[in-house]
Amino acid sequence: MSDLLSFDLGDDPFFPPETRYDLDCPECGVHMNLRSGKHGNGWYYACRDHPTCPGTHGAHADGSPLGIPGDRETKDARMAAHNEFDKLWKDTSMSRGAAYRWLQERMKLSRDDCHIGRFDIAQCDEVLGHVGDYFEE
């Protein structure tokens, strides 16, 4: 992620957010464009060559990316890690916040860095190991 681009489009909810990020596609390396989801359901970044290139990445309502874009293998690893991690706060008495603090401690990460959407494949594998250990105890 490099430069932040800002521009004023007024208050119309059908216009893109005022803030866009300069992202490169994790699949092919070309620029990603901020797009509106189907039926106005939020924003996402898509490869400039989409749909030829499948590269996409979610965005917050303000246009900021949800984590760091990843290729298909990384996205799959993140989904697997999240599915297991979410069991900590969905299937136990641990709150969601407590689960993230627990993971932060295990992985020795700061609060800002402890987001699965920012993890690489090795970190996702580490999440799986920690969660597996938790449920084996």
Side-chain angles (χ1 to χ4, degrees):
M1 189 166 38
S2 46
D3 298 326
L4 174 68
L5 308 173
S6 295
F7 48 93
D8 182 13
L9 292 173
D11 295 328
D12 191 323
F14 294 104
F15 281 108
E18 293 182 19
T19 304
R20 295 178 183 217
Y21 288 76
D22 188 13
L23 301 178
D24 292 329
C25 176
E27 298 289 343
C28 70
V30 303
H31 181 74
M32 296 183 88
N33 296 319
L34 186 62
R35 296 184 177 185
S36 173
K38 290 183 181 181
H39 313 291
N41 295 334
W43 299 97
Y44 70 101
Y45 287 88
C47 178
R48 182 183 62 210
D49 294 335
H50 189 77
T52 303
C53 175
T56 60
H57 189 74
H60 292 282
D62 68 356
S64 62
L66 292 168
I68 298 171
D71 60 17
R72 174 52 41 205
E73 185 180 5
T74 302
K75 285 182 177 182
D76 289 345
R78 288 174 180 168
M79 286 189 288
H82 240 303
N83 286 338
E84 291 304 305
F85 170 76
D86 289 351
K87 292 176 183 177
L88 289 173
W89 58 275
K90 289 182 177 180
D91 298 347
T92 72
S93 61
M94 195 182 297
S95 70
R96 187 170 185 250
Y100 271 103
R101 286 188 296 279
W102 175 87
L103 185 62
Q104 235 181 284
E105 291 173 12
R106 297 301 176 287
M107 295 183 70
K108 298 176 178 39
L109 295 171
S110 71
R111 183 174 185 221
D112 290 341
D113 290 333
C114 192
H115 295 281
I116 295 173
R118 300 177 58 85
F119 289 179
D120 59 24
I121 293 169
Q123 288 172 305
C124 291
D125 289 342
E126 188 177 347
V127 170
L128 296 175
H130 289 307
V131 173
D133 291 346
Y134 177 86
F135 283 108
E136 286 179 10
E137 294 175 355

